[in-house]
Amino acid sequence: GAVVSQHPSRVICKSGTSVKIECRSLDFQATTMFWYRQFPKQSLMLMATSNEGSKATYEQGVEKDKFLINHASLTLSTLTVTSAHPEDSSFYICSAIRGGPGVTDTQYFGPGTRLTVL
Amino acid sequence: GENVEQHPSTLSVQEGDSAVIKCTYSDSASNYFPWYKQELGKGPQLIIDIRSNVGEKKDQRIAVTLNKTAKHFSLHITETQPEDSAVYFCAASKGNQGGKLIFGQGTELSVKP
């Protein structure tokens, strides 16, 4: 159990376009999901915390108008990179915390999405 | 805020040897310490975690120890195998932070056959 999927796994887009990345918890309901970005040979950088039915909480320095997050259901969160530029090229990873009885704070990660902006 | 330091940044061992990765944290209120393994091009995979009410936890070849007084925790891998080669991340969180994790910088482990 505790499987998180992401779609797409890779995406290449032109500068100025928008890209949507989906994060789904496949076998559990996720009250909280997180979005990270990771540059080569670096650690994970938290971008925002997403709670179902409420606005996302963004980390300092992350532009909320550029990285739109929607947590529309207990199994789906989306990250939209608007007006993408080459510097937005990165590995984007989501994670989810299982909700319900016996709730813990264990985060289960998705496989990541490689975004390349030309 | 919380800060997590991880050492070493790279570690090379011979197959069959043990590997130890160490992390220190700054916030004494942190109470949950997971370890993740990340293979190239993939998302992190939880391999073991420990909470502040225990000092050691073991799962087959993997063990984690926690010293709350010194604010450090370590990952121990015994009988290493080539498939253990990956980047390992430690992390820490506090119970009142909604599960927010603070990650260490990562350790690239290479197990040579």
Side-chain angles (χ1 to χ4, degrees):
Chain A
V3 178
V4 177
S5 71
Q6 279 183 243
H7 178 81
S9 57
R10 290 176 179 272
V11 57
I12 301 173
C13 69
K14 293 182 179 179
S15 187
T17 61
S18 294
V19 174
K20 180 184 283 189
I21 303 170
E22 292 186 348
C23 176
R24 293 182 184 272
S25 54
L26 297 185
D27 53 359
F28 65 98
Q29 292 186 328
T31 52
T32 304
M33 288 184 170
F34 301 86
W35 286 96
Y36 297 82
R37 67 187 297 183
Q38 185 179 36
F39 292 107
K41 294 193 177 295
Q42 292 190 21
S43 189
L44 288 81
M45 184 190 82
L46 179 64
M47 298 176 67
T49 302
S50 168
N51 290 293
E52 186 265 339
S54 62
K55 291 184 178 180
T57 302
Y58 290 81
E59 294 298 302
Q60 191 172 7
V62 178
E63 300 175 60
K64 59 181 66 177
D65 293 331
K66 181 166 186 63
F67 299 100
L68 301 179
I69 292 171
N70 186 325
H71 194 155
S73 77
L74 285 171
T75 59
L76 173 64
S77 177
T78 61
L79 168 67
T80 301
V81 183
T82 62
S83 187
H85 291 286
E87 56 266 30
D88 298 324
S89 298
S90 189
F91 193 51
Y92 292 87
I93 315 171
C94 72
S95 69
I97 291 180
R98 189 198 304 261
V103 171
T104 69
D105 44 10
T106 302
Q107 286 190 32
Y108 299 96
F109 283 81
T113 296
R114 173 73 59 194
L115 170 63
T116 303
V117 185
L118 303 177
Chain B
E2 173 69 285
N3 183 49
V4 178
E5 296 287 333
Q6 182 172 347
H7 297 282
S9 57
T10 61
L11 179 60
S12 182
V13 300
Q14 286 295 131
E15 181 177 1
D17 288 349
S18 295
V20 180
I21 303 171
K22 298 181 179 181
C23 288
T24 59
Y25 59 99
S26 61
D27 193 336
S28 57
S30 292
N31 56 12
Y32 174 61
F33 308 93
W35 284 90
Y36 289 89
K37 174 184 181 182
Q38 186 178 29
E39 297 178 345
L40 191 62
K42 298 184 179 180
Q45 177 190 6
L46 179 69
I47 56 172
I48 197 167
D49 57 11
I50 192 167
R51 298 188 184 272
S52 58
N53 57 343
V54 297
E56 185 174 358
K57 184 176 179 181
K58 190 173 182 179
D59 182 4
Q60 300 183 343
R61 297 186 298 109
I62 296 173
V64 57
T65 58
L66 171 65
N67 183 325
K68 286 186 294 182
T69 303
K71 290 189 283 188
H72 67 70
F73 56 112
S74 301
L75 177 70
H76 304 253
I77 305 175
T78 59
E79 300 172 29
T80 54
Q81 302 166 3
E83 50 265 38
D84 294 329
S85 297
V87 179
Y88 290 80
F89 291 98
C90 64
S93 76
K94 296 187 287 190
N96 62 353
Q97 292 279 294
K100 183 176 171 178
L101 288 173
I102 305 300
F103 281 87
Q105 297 83 354
T107 296
E108 185 173 2
L109 173 64
S110 176
V111 180
K112 298 181 178 180

